[in-house]
Amino acid sequence: MKIALLTSGGDSPGMNPAIRAIVRTAAFNKIKIYGVRSGYKGLIKGDLVELNVNSVGDIIQRGGTMLGTARSPEFETDEGIEKALNVLNVYNIDGLIVLGGDGTFMGAEKLSKAGIKTVCIPCTIDNDLAYTDYTIGFWTAIETVTEAIGKLRDTSSSHGRANVIEVMGRNSGQLALYSALAGGGESIIVPEEDVDIDAICKKALRGRMRGKKHNLIIVAEGAGKAFDIADQIIDKTGIDTKVTVLGHVQRGGSPCAVDRILGSLMGRHAVELLMAGNTSIAIGVKENKIIDLNISQALEEKRDFNYSIYDTINILSI
Ligand code: F6P
């Protein structure tokens, strides 16, 4: 049996531990394994390298992806898919494991329809794949954002300012939600809920009146631009308000223990699913158990917004 694996789309901390687990499980089972460089873009070009036990030594603790990643518009075309299928045939690949977010999963689904056995592992800091409780990289990103919120809280208090902190999440407020709770943020703006800028301003002024020095507003990038929100706060309250856009720093760093554990368990499971002849599968974690289901079923699921966390943030920052 021959397996290939690739990482695609935005990287996330924990991809490397998953790659390690895939390669080592394959080696344990005497399966030949190839790494594709730069995601689907590399697959189209035939940029494959054979991996072995040693290739993945000393990567469990590293952020990013040792295989490199890319976004590939060409792979979204029929010609792109044809080229990819051709490469997989030339290398005699029986199964492909892909690590990434929803776009990566859609690509795998197309390949599986064309006869390639595929298994997907959810890797994105956005945690926007609803079929799984958590995606790999999410908890590390929360740690990164929480640390940044803590640092901004120090300077916010010293100067008596408000600070608007923009975090990643194109269509999802998950990262904003969890890190605002962990960092003790005052207000949160997410795509899942309407923005009430007046309520945010009232809270800032109320806090000020009872002697609170800092005010931290966490904004998910998909919910609005941090600079616009800061301008509105200044206009409505007169409070000096600064902006920090955290950007790609959220995507890097050594994966935390949870992401390493998820990567290791899901990586092993992916190889074993292919060995058992499965195809078009998405792996996830639900209530602390590794699960797997059909890719299209996985992509259809919608995440319920977690009002328990949202309300807790508001209650605790009264
Ligand atoms: O998909 C993850 C994500 O981090 C989004 O939250 C963000 O909008 C996007 O990737 C940024 O992608 P890129 O690295 O291509 O700019």
Side-chain angles (χ1 to χ4, degrees), residues 102-172:
D102 53 358
T104 305
F105 281 33
M106 285 175 212
E109 206 187 3
K110 282 188 197 162
L111 289 175
S112 70
K113 281 188 180 138
I116 301 293
K117 292 193 167 62
T118 57
V119 175
C120 306
I121 298 183
C123 293
T124 163
I125 64 163
D126 289 355
N127 203 30
D128 58 351
L129 289 162
Y131 77 92
T132 181
D133 286 345
Y134 304 112
T135 53
I136 294 171
F138 178 56
W139 285 107
T140 304
I142 291 173
E143 290 295 340
T144 304
V145 176
T146 304
E147 192 186 338
I149 292 174
K151 289 180 176 171
L152 289 164
R153 172 193 288 274
D154 292 344
T155 176
S156 186
S157 295
S158 306
H159 289 265
R161 285 171 175 156
N163 283 71
V164 178
I165 306 156
E166 186 179 304
V167 305
M168 277 190 170
R170 241 176 319 185
N171 312 305
S172 161

Side-chain angles (χ1 to χ4, degrees), residues 12-159:
S12 72
M15 281 179 157
N16 277 331
I19 293 171
R20 171 180 176 268
I22 292 163
V23 173
R24 294 259 161 103
T25 307
F28 182 83
N29 290 288
K30 312 230 176 321
I31 293 171
K32 207 168 204 180
I33 179 118
Y34 291 91
V36 182
R37 294 198 189 92
S38 305
Y40 291 121
K41 193 173 168 194
L43 183 59
I44 289 170
K45 286 193 193 143
D47 193 359
L48 276 71
V49 58
E50 195 177 333
L51 300 172
N52 62 36
V53 183
N54 292 334
S55 324
V56 292
D58 202 27
I59 66 163
I60 196 167
Q61 79 285 15
R62 291 185 205 277
T65 158
M66 68 165 276
L67 291 173
T69 185
R71 302 197 189 270
S72 171
E74 191 185 355
F75 187 70
E76 285 164 26
T77 65
D78 290 347
E79 297 76 49
I81 297 277
E82 266 316 304
K83 283 187 193 171
L85 286 169
N86 191 36
V87 170
L88 290 165
N89 285 334
V90 167
Y91 278 84
N92 265 323
I93 302 295
D94 306 297
L96 177 70
I97 300 172
V98 303
L99 282 63
D102 53 358
T104 305
F105 281 33
M106 285 175 212
E109 206 187 3
K110 282 188 197 162
L111 289 175
S112 70
K113 281 188 180 138
I116 301 293
K117 292 193 167 62
T118 57
V119 175
C120 306
I121 298 183
C123 293
T124 163
I125 64 163
D126 289 355
N127 203 30
D128 58 351
L129 289 162
Y131 77 92
T132 181
D133 286 345
Y134 304 112
T135 53
I136 294 171
F138 178 56
W139 285 107
T140 304
I142 291 173
E143 290 295 340
T144 304
V145 176
T146 304
E147 192 186 338
I149 292 174
K151 289 180 176 171
L152 289 164
R153 172 193 288 274
D154 292 344
T155 176
S156 186
S157 295
S158 306
H159 289 265

